[in-house]
Amino acid sequence: MNDMTPIQTTLKDWETDQEVRWCPGCGDYAILKAVQRTLPQLGANPAKTVFVSGIGCSSRFPYYVESYGFHTIHGRAPAFATGIKLANPELDVWMVTGDGDGLSIGGNHLMHVLRRNVNLQILLFNNEIYGLTKGQYSPTSRIGTRTPSTPLGSVDRPTNPCAFALGAGARFVARGFDVSKNLPDVLKAAHAHQGAAFIEIFQNCIVYNKDVFNDFAAPKGAEDQQLWLADGEPMLFAKGTKGISLDRDALELKVVDVVDGDWQAAGVLVHNVKNRSIAHMLIELPFGPFPMALGVLYDDPRPTFESAVIEERTKASAGKEANLAKLLAKGQTWTVPGTAQDPIGTRVPGQGGNPETQGRA
């Protein structure tokens, strides 16, 4: 079902002749380049790759990747991507959405593609603003955000995209940011996962929400505020001088100091990507007292939606003859021969017909 034989490509093979049209300095440029550089490393085949998007700045993505692409309608990219994967499971499907497209009008569709576990990669660009429609607040905007639609400051509690994904039943949840050198590794992990792989990518909107993530995602100087997670590795940050431990009495995470590199003595947790409870704690960590948890937060595969659908179809059709004419002639059907004098003809009961319903057509 998944004949994805690796092939050799280069960055140039994934670049289109389209002019990339985002605002100068937009984080989308960095994400696009990270994806285009990662695809050759995956051995991906442009002829078997599809990028699907909804509406928004991020959703211009399919124009800029030399593969099959589908720029769909607002919030409905998950529905299209699901249909594509069911129609041809051989395709490698990537879905690109934004915090507005994916979590407001598209929240319902996003929830279902996650809970169904359709085998595709979901990239949600989160700039905490509506960029394409000129800077209104979005479902992820912070309390107090001043925009044309919230001139006095937003009073909405923002949505946490990764918490949403985990709550919807996602089996792979990860985080990265646009200019991070580690983003390709997160993309590779998502691609290796069999099932719906959700990645939240913090993305700088240079015009309407500039530098809102600089505390942890600035190109330089924010490294100490990043907790990059790796399965089987201790949760260390700030050049290994601090770590994340579990307060077993309060059942909550805490920051501990690491002396002389002895993280075990400090009680630092070792990351286990299959531990859903710890993943949820990491996702909900308040930034400021804690670093931003990045990388693969949760990865615990289960059978995919399309594999279950194909298995069901196979069982239902076992031992049955594929005969459309026979199927159409089943039940209340008639033949209408017709003549030159009577082109409509008279109903004549055919196979499965009902003689009591004969009469003029």
Side-chain angles (χ1 to χ4, degrees):
M1 186 179 70
N2 288 305
D3 180 20
M4 301 299 292
T5 304
I7 69 167
Q8 288 190 343
T9 60
T10 66
L11 171 64
K12 291 293 183 183
D13 293 318
W14 296 94
E15 295 177 335
T16 71
D17 60 359
Q18 299 294 301
E19 177 189 359
V20 182
R21 299 181 62 186
W22 287 310
C23 300
C26 174
D28 288 356
Y29 286 97
I31 301 172
L32 172 64
K33 198 57 66 177
V35 171
Q36 289 174 326
R37 287 186 175 128
T38 301
L39 288 166
Q41 297 174 35
L42 297 174
N45 184 345
K48 291 189 175 183
T49 302
V50 185
F51 278 82
V52 184
S53 67
I55 296 296
C57 295
S58 63
S59 294
R60 297 189 61 80
F61 215 85
Y63 295 104
Y64 308 139
V65 182
E66 189 61 44
S67 68
Y68 288 103
F70 206 157
H71 189 180
T72 71
I73 53 181
H74 207 185
R76 272 62 175 184
F80 284 85
T82 299
I84 291 168
K85 193 66 179 180
L86 285 175
N88 189 351
E90 299 291 338
L91 295 175
D92 187 13
V93 181
W94 297 72
M95 196 194 99
V96 179
T97 185
D99 49 303
D101 178 64
L103 293 171
S104 70
I105 189 170
N108 179 54
H109 293 280
L110 183 59
M111 175 183 73
H112 294 304
V113 78
L114 291 170
R115 73 170 179 82
R116 284 173 170 154
N117 200 37
V118 183
N119 189 20
L120 47 82
Q121 295 75 237
I122 301 166
L123 312 184
L124 186 141
F125 298 9
N126 182 10
N127 55 20
E128 295 187 0
I129 207 76
Y130 277 106
L132 188 66
T133 51
K134 307 300 183 283
Q136 300 87 347
Y137 85 117
S138 84
T140 58
S141 296
R142 303 173 194 187
I143 293 175
T145 301
R146 292 178 178 269
T147 75
S149 55
T150 54
L152 301 180
S154 170
V155 297
D156 285 6
R157 289 184 58 83
T159 298
N160 182 326
C162 286
F164 172 89
L166 194 66
R171 309 297 296 190
F172 181 101
V173 179
R175 275 198 192 124
F177 60 91
D178 46 17
V179 296
S180 170
K181 64 181 180 181
N182 296 325
L183 183 57
D185 290 332
V186 178
L187 296 172
K188 292 174 189 175
H191 190 265
H193 177 86
Q194 290 298 302
F198 178 87
I199 309 174
E200 176 187 13
I201 305 175
F202 297 109
Q203 176 257 323
N204 187 27
C205 178
I206 197 74
V207 176
Y208 297 111
N209 215 15
K210 184 179 179 182
D211 298 337
V212 71
F213 304 118
N214 262 12
D215 287 346
F216 67 88
K220 294 181 180 179
E223 293 82 4
D224 286 355
Q225 296 303 313
Q226 301 168 12
L227 171 63
W228 281 100
L229 299 161
D231 190 33
E233 297 294 327
M235 299 183 188
L236 298 170
F237 65 103
K239 299 181 178 64
T241 63
K242 294 183 180 294
I244 300 296
S245 182
L246 177 65
D247 185 331
R248 299 185 184 279
D249 293 327
L251 288 180
E252 60 185 17
L253 300 181
K254 62 180 181 180
V255 174
V256 294
D257 293 320
V258 178
V259 180
D260 297 329
D262 192 351
W263 58 268
Q264 291 173 308
V268 174
L269 290 173
V270 173
H271 186 43
N272 176 4
V273 292
K274 294 185 183 298
N275 191 322
R276 190 176 185 278
S277 297
I278 295 296
H280 188 81
M281 291 182 184
L282 290 166
I283 287 168
E284 296 283 5
L285 285 180
F287 180 73
F290 291 90
M292 179 59 68
L294 300 162
V296 178
L297 297 136
Y298 182 62
D299 183 0
D300 189 12
R302 69 177 179 191
T304 64
F305 179 63
E306 67 274 14
S307 64
V309 170
I310 291 170
E311 182 181 358
E312 182 181 62
R313 289 175 180 170
T314 302
K315 288 181 179 178
S317 61
K320 296 181 180 178
E321 178 187 2
N323 189 323
L324 181 60
K326 186 177 179 180
L327 178 64
L328 292 175
K330 184 179 180 180
Q332 300 291 324
T333 60
W334 300 265
T335 59
V336 184
T339 64
Q341 294 76 24
D342 186 1
I344 296 178
T346 301
R347 291 177 181 172
V348 179
Q351 182 178 1
N354 184 351
E356 296 181 2
T357 59
Q358 289 186 57
R360 296 287 300 194

